[in-house]
Amino acid sequence: MTRSLNELRPVYVVGIGWHRYQNPSETPYVELGLTAIRAALADARIEWPAVESTYVATALLGMASGRPILRHLGATGAPLMHVENASASGSTAFRHACIEVASGISDIALAVGVDKRNPVRRPDTGIGNLAEDAIVPFTHFALLTNEYAVRHNGSTEDIALVAVKNHRNGAKNPNAQRQQERTLDEVLGGKRVSGSLTALQCTPIGEGAAAVIVASEDGIRRLGIDAGRAIRTTASVGRSERVYPPGAGFDAALTKETADLALAQAKLTPKDLDIIELHDAFTVEELHYIESIGLCPEGHGVRMLKDGALDIGGQCAINPSGGLIAMGHPIGPTGIGQIGEIVMQLRGEAGPRQHGGARIGLAHMVGVGAVCYVHILQR
Amino acid sequence: MQPNKLLKPGLYSATSGDQKGATARLKGGRCRCGYVFFPMQTYGCERCGSHGDALTPCELSAKGTLLAEATVHLHADKNRPAPFTIVKVALDDGPVIRTVLAEDSAPVAPGQRVTGRLAAIGQSDRGETVLDLRFSIAS
């Protein structure tokens, strides 16, 4: 018989840390990674030798990039593995760190994501294609923006309001790559990229690092970790794309089935969610995914956005970190940074961007391929 | 007349001679389970996993309905100078494909009928006119 994560022993996030997401720079990735790991260790108030296993999420650094970071923490000989799963690399690393602890193999595990922006190389499958070299991710989502606006009789200006909200949240996040509020005119008036998408509606190119430490109850007791600041992972689900009806958006369909499974695992409904960190690499995605997760019926996302229901302090704060649009999307770190943001919010330690009374948060990432990962955390 | 050369002959053919402007046929495949896909491949069926003889070539009409369009203003690859327009088309024969709108096409909008034709996109080293698939409003 198989079991889901929350049927194994409980697993908690006990430490979180970042190196700020930023524009590409000369900073070596080793320094980015060390900064995030040391911050997470300090947050958990534990020392490096307590970490029994490490999952390094990176998509763009190249082979075996983890040990050149970890050796500078003092080489303990603990196991180390690398996770590449496109945009969901960090979420996948977090899932497997949780599984390792929940299974009883380790008491303390680290998931760290680090990346610098390098050219993306996709494998040659041997199957030809008409024009995929002309359809980069922003054009994939420009097509979906056009479809969404036409199907729901909405305006592309309304869809751009997602960026206004997420830039406002990012302006309050010291780890965000973009920390500047933007008006709708600024968002719409920026450089045109593809279709109706403008530069400020697209995630920026950047680099950074994020780390989280997960622990069992035994580990928390043994190391004297503050259990009051530990946040439990109550659901973890990973899925990959199936064959959907012709014309159905696979990103949204895949998100729906993954989120449904995660909510069922945690025995929750969408209405129970206080916070969602989701894959808003492009504005239209936020509307697709809140509808797929079940916050509102299809096509009603704009109404919630305009009512302020998705703001910090609203019904359910979406991307209080600023999301991929403002906080940034350095690839490997992103899914781990989402977990860190939710933990900060559920602890009540998010300062000026605190969503009052937050008890339940959901983290969602999709990655090209396509894969989808959803985690639920609860205070 | 100059001979013509198809850019991607593994993916499409012309209905009557490889002439500029000719309506294209797409080289798709069909699985024993009924699933129709593009392009043809023999690795295995995405829906049921059958492979080998279960998958047979199946010509698809290049007529379909536009699902979405996006004009690309920014594109790093110098081989595809922007602006150009990408279209997402639900083929009458089933699969949904994405490719480039013909440069001389009138503006398109979701719901419109479109057709894939062969368009001249340049010259080969040997002086042939190179033809590639482009969609435009159905005539």
Side-chain angles (χ1 to χ4, degrees), chain A residues 125-136 138-140 142-144 146-147 150 191-195 197 241-243 246-247 249, chain B residues 8 11-12 35 38-39 41 43 46-47 67-75 77 80 84 86-88 94 96-100 110 133:
Chain A
T125 61
I127 298 174
N129 65 79
L130 290 172
E132 288 304 305
D133 60 294
I135 310 171
V136 297
F138 57 62
T139 295
H140 171 74
L143 291 164
L144 289 183
N146 178 236
E147 267 184 285
V150 169
K191 190 164 61 181
R192 296 171 79 199
V193 175
S194 187
L197 289 176
E241 185 180 339
R242 296 184 298 127
V243 175
Chain B
K8 297 179 177 177
L11 300 182
Y12 46 76
Y35 186 61
F38 174 83
Q41 49 85 17
Y43 290 156
E46 190 172 3
R47 190 163 82 179
L67 295 178
E69 58 83 22
T71 296
V72 180
H73 305 287
L74 212 63
H75 195 69
D77 183 353
R80 296 270 190 193
F84 54 87
I86 298 295
V87 290
K88 180 175 173 182
V96 173
I97 61 165
R98 303 187 302 185
T99 190
V100 183
L133 183 75

Side-chain angles (χ1 to χ4, degrees), chain A:
Chain A
M1 203 187 83
T2 62
R3 292 188 176 85
S4 60
L5 185 80
N6 66 348
E7 293 169 318
L8 302 171
R9 64 177 188 161
V11 53
Y12 299 83
V13 180
V14 297
I16 58 176
W18 285 268
H19 183 290
R20 184 190 165 181
Y21 301 171
Q22 61 192 17
N23 294 332
S25 76
E26 296 299 313
T27 309
Y29 82 88
V30 172
E31 192 174 322
L32 303 176
L34 285 170
T35 303
I37 297 169
R38 289 191 170 120
L41 290 167
D43 180 58
R45 300 190 185 98
I46 62 172
E47 302 293 328
W48 169 244
V51 174
E52 295 160 69
S53 185
T54 295
Y55 293 79
V56 179
T58 174
L60 303 172
L61 291 178
M63 190 167 78
S65 46
R67 171 114 165 121
I69 304 174
L70 302 186
R71 64 190 284 254
H72 299 291
L73 294 159
T76 61
L80 149 71
M81 76 168 290
H82 297 82
V83 177
E84 187 279 297
N85 217 5
S87 290
S89 297
S91 314
T92 309
F94 176 69
R95 170 170 161 82
H96 288 276
C98 285
I99 288 171
E100 179 163 338
V101 168
S103 70
I105 290 171
S106 292
D107 278 326
I108 306 286
L110 166 72
V112 55
V114 56
D115 256 318
K116 288 181 74 76
R117 191 47 71 101
N118 287 309
V120 175
R121 199 167 54 89
R122 300 289 299 276
D124 178 4
T125 61
I127 298 174
N129 65 79
L130 290 172
E132 288 304 305
D133 60 294
I135 310 171
V136 297
F138 57 62
T139 295
H140 171 74
F141 289 105
L143 291 164
L144 289 183
T145 303
N146 178 236
E147 267 184 285
Y148 187 93
V150 169
R151 183 180 311 142
H152 302 300
N153 205 15
S155 72
T156 50
E157 286 78 4
D158 285 346
I159 294 170
L161 287 169
V162 169
V164 176
K165 171 179 69 67
N166 292 353
H167 282 278
R168 187 165 63 233
N169 294 350
K172 300 188 183 82
N173 183 353
N175 290 314
Q177 183 172 345
R178 289 167 162 170
Q179 298 182 25
Q180 195 179 342
E181 289 203 32
R182 299 289 188 171
T183 64
L184 182 59
D185 283 346
E186 283 177 296
V187 169
L188 293 172
K191 190 164 61 181
R192 296 171 79 199
V193 175
S194 187
S196 66
L197 289 176
T198 50
L200 291 175
Q201 296 186 65
C202 302
T203 186
I205 288 172
E207 62 180 32
V212 302
I213 295 165
V214 295
S216 65
E217 288 174 351
D218 286 350
I220 289 172
R221 265 194 302 276
R222 181 161 51 80
L223 293 163
I225 292 169
D226 180 359
R229 293 174 75 239
I231 301 294
R232 187 171 172 187
T233 307
T234 56
S236 172
V237 179
R239 298 280 299 165
S240 64
E241 185 180 339
R242 296 184 298 127
V243 175
Y244 303 106
F250 64 84
D251 312 272
L254 178 56
T255 292
K256 177 169 170 40
E257 65 189 43
T258 311
D260 283 353
L261 288 167
L263 287 165
Q265 199 175 108
K267 300 183 175 64
L268 296 170
T269 69
K271 284 196 171 56
D272 297 321
L273 300 172
D274 299 308
I275 287 180
I276 300 176
E277 284 280 315
L278 57 74
H279 183 283
D280 63 325
F282 305 95
T283 39
V284 72
E285 288 188 89
E286 182 162 313
L287 301 171
H288 270 300
Y289 302 145
I290 63 165
E291 294 167 12
S292 302
I293 291 166
L295 231 52
C296 63
E298 213 187 305
H300 289 227
V302 167
R303 192 179 307 166
M304 287 193 84
L305 186 61
K306 285 183 161 175
D307 288 348
L310 310 181
D311 291 348
I312 293 169
Q315 177 192 321
C316 179
I318 311 293
N319 289 320
S321 69
L324 279 61
I325 286 176
M327 183 163 182
H329 182 27
I331 314 290
T334 314
I336 294 170
Q338 290 182 324
I339 300 296
E341 173 69 18
I342 290 172
V343 167
M344 197 184 270
Q345 292 278 350
L346 301 193
R347 284 174 176 172
E349 296 178 356
R353 63 179 195 286
Q354 180 66 44
H355 181 69
R359 300 190 62 84
I360 302 174
L362 181 149
H364 157 273
M365 281 296 277
V366 288
V368 292
V371 295
C372 183
Y373 280 73
V374 172
H375 288 93
I376 296 175
L377 294 108
Q378 292 180 247
R379 188 166 71 188

